[in-house]
Amino acid sequence: MLKRCTLLALGAAFLIAGSVRGADAPDTNHWESVASLGLTLTRGNSETFLGTVGLNSQRKWSKSEALIGANAGYGDNTVKDANTGDKDTTTTDKYAKGFGQYNYLFSDKVYGGLRLDAQYDAVAGVDYRVTLSPLVGYYLIKKPDTMLGFEIGPGFVAENLSDEKADQYITLRLAERFEHKFSEKGKVWQSAEFLPRFDDFGDYVLNAEIGASAAITKTIELRIVLQDTYRSEPPSDRENNDLKIIAGVGYRF
């Protein structure tokens, strides 16, 4: 399931981007991609491991644009009894998620699109969550170094939470994205989306991300990302909020 959820969103984005390429005028840009890696390791009275990998890519044509992203992580903590030598290992993180989005520009600032998200999170009790959302968007700011856009649209959700039956329902998706580049040396970005269940607005998911990167060479950069997911009605024995702070290195290509 971990691989399936990530590959589903990535595959959909590549198919969408490939199908529209022939309809656009020849593009002058290319895929802008960053592969990232984070690793934390300790040894001693306790043994901890946390590894994360990620990929983000985007491309713009004359009348359309495609965005792809995926990240996954695994962490555990092992405590050793000094007297008996017995070890007790607990999984602290185990997740994978990805998305693909295609936008068609009706004008310089107005666009319509389709987005697919897939998520698996063992610690948060999400066996799978897949969301398909048609959308309408508007760029409030659209400059070479700064972008701010808002999106709205319905969505279809299929999910299975721990100890619960699989469910499918309609949601409303409200989202915004912001990015600012400091020449080629670095950038900051932020995004948020609110997804209430259409028949019960008290049952919702709120996703947010904020990050910054700074280049140390033409292809290598340092990155720090904060990701937060809040679910108003989480699975039993789970907290509402899941917060991750990921620091690592990125490779631009």
Side-chain angles (χ1 to χ4, degrees):
M1 181 60 66
L2 186 150
K3 292 182 179 179
R4 189 182 303 170
C5 288
T6 305
L7 292 176
L8 179 62
L10 285 174
F14 278 118
L15 288 173
I16 291 171
S19 67
V20 300
R21 184 176 180 180
D24 280 336
D27 62 277
T28 56
N29 296 313
H30 59 281
W31 287 102
E32 297 181 355
S33 307
V34 178
S36 58
L37 174 66
L39 181 64
T40 302
L41 186 69
T42 67
R43 290 295 183 267
N45 292 313
S46 66
E47 301 175 1
T48 63
F49 170 82
L50 175 61
T52 61
V53 295
L55 172 68
N56 285 278
S57 187
Q58 61 179 335
R59 185 167 185 172
K60 297 180 180 180
W61 291 268
S62 59
K63 290 291 185 179
S64 60
E65 55 190 9
L67 302 91
I68 302 170
N71 59 80
Y74 175 81
D76 60 38
N77 179 61
T78 301
V79 179
K80 182 178 180 180
D81 190 307
N83 296 319
T84 64
D86 294 338
K87 293 184 177 181
D88 182 20
T89 300
T90 303
T91 299
T92 57
D93 220 352
K94 187 179 181 181
Y95 70 93
K97 58 184 178 179
F99 75 90
Q101 181 171 335
Y102 166 72
N103 299 330
Y104 181 83
L105 280 72
F106 299 111
S107 68
D108 187 50
K109 292 190 174 184
V110 179
Y111 61 91
L114 183 66
R115 182 182 176 93
L116 177 65
D117 290 89
Q119 179 187 8
Y120 161 78
D121 194 324
V123 176
V126 180
D127 292 335
Y128 67 81
R129 177 182 172 90
V130 179
T131 306
L132 182 64
S133 306
L135 60 95
V136 174
Y138 178 76
Y139 285 114
L140 186 63
I141 302 174
K142 190 179 182 183
K143 299 179 179 179
D145 60 349
T146 306
M147 178 276 294
L148 175 61
F150 296 89
E151 298 172 355
I152 184 172
F156 173 78
V157 178
E159 69 176 2
N160 190 5
L161 305 180
S162 299
D163 302 324
E164 296 184 19
K165 294 181 179 180
D167 193 13
Q168 299 85 37
Y169 57 90
I170 302 298
T171 187
L172 175 66
R173 179 175 178 270
L174 303 171
E176 61 85 27
R177 296 182 293 129
F178 170 79
E179 180 179 295
H180 178 71
K181 295 180 179 180
F182 302 96
S183 66
E184 296 297 321
K185 298 297 182 180
K187 69 176 183 179
V188 294
W189 67 91
Q190 176 270 334
S191 65
E193 60 177 3
F194 175 60
L195 299 108
R197 187 168 177 141
F198 201 77
D199 58 357
D200 181 8
F201 270 47
D203 184 359
Y204 63 88
V205 175
L206 179 62
N207 296 312
E209 177 176 304
I210 184 170
S213 65
I216 54 177
T217 70
K218 289 184 177 180
T219 57
I220 304 298
E221 64 182 27
L222 299 177
R223 297 167 59 89
I224 183 167
V225 181
L226 184 150
Q227 297 176 341
D228 188 61
T229 296
Y230 181 90
R231 187 176 185 108
S232 62
E233 297 184 9
S236 58
D237 301 325
R238 298 299 202 281
E239 298 289 337
N240 296 88
N241 205 63
D242 281 292
L243 178 68
K244 295 180 175 68
I245 299 178
I246 305 168
V249 296
Y251 175 72
R252 296 187 293 184
F253 59 97

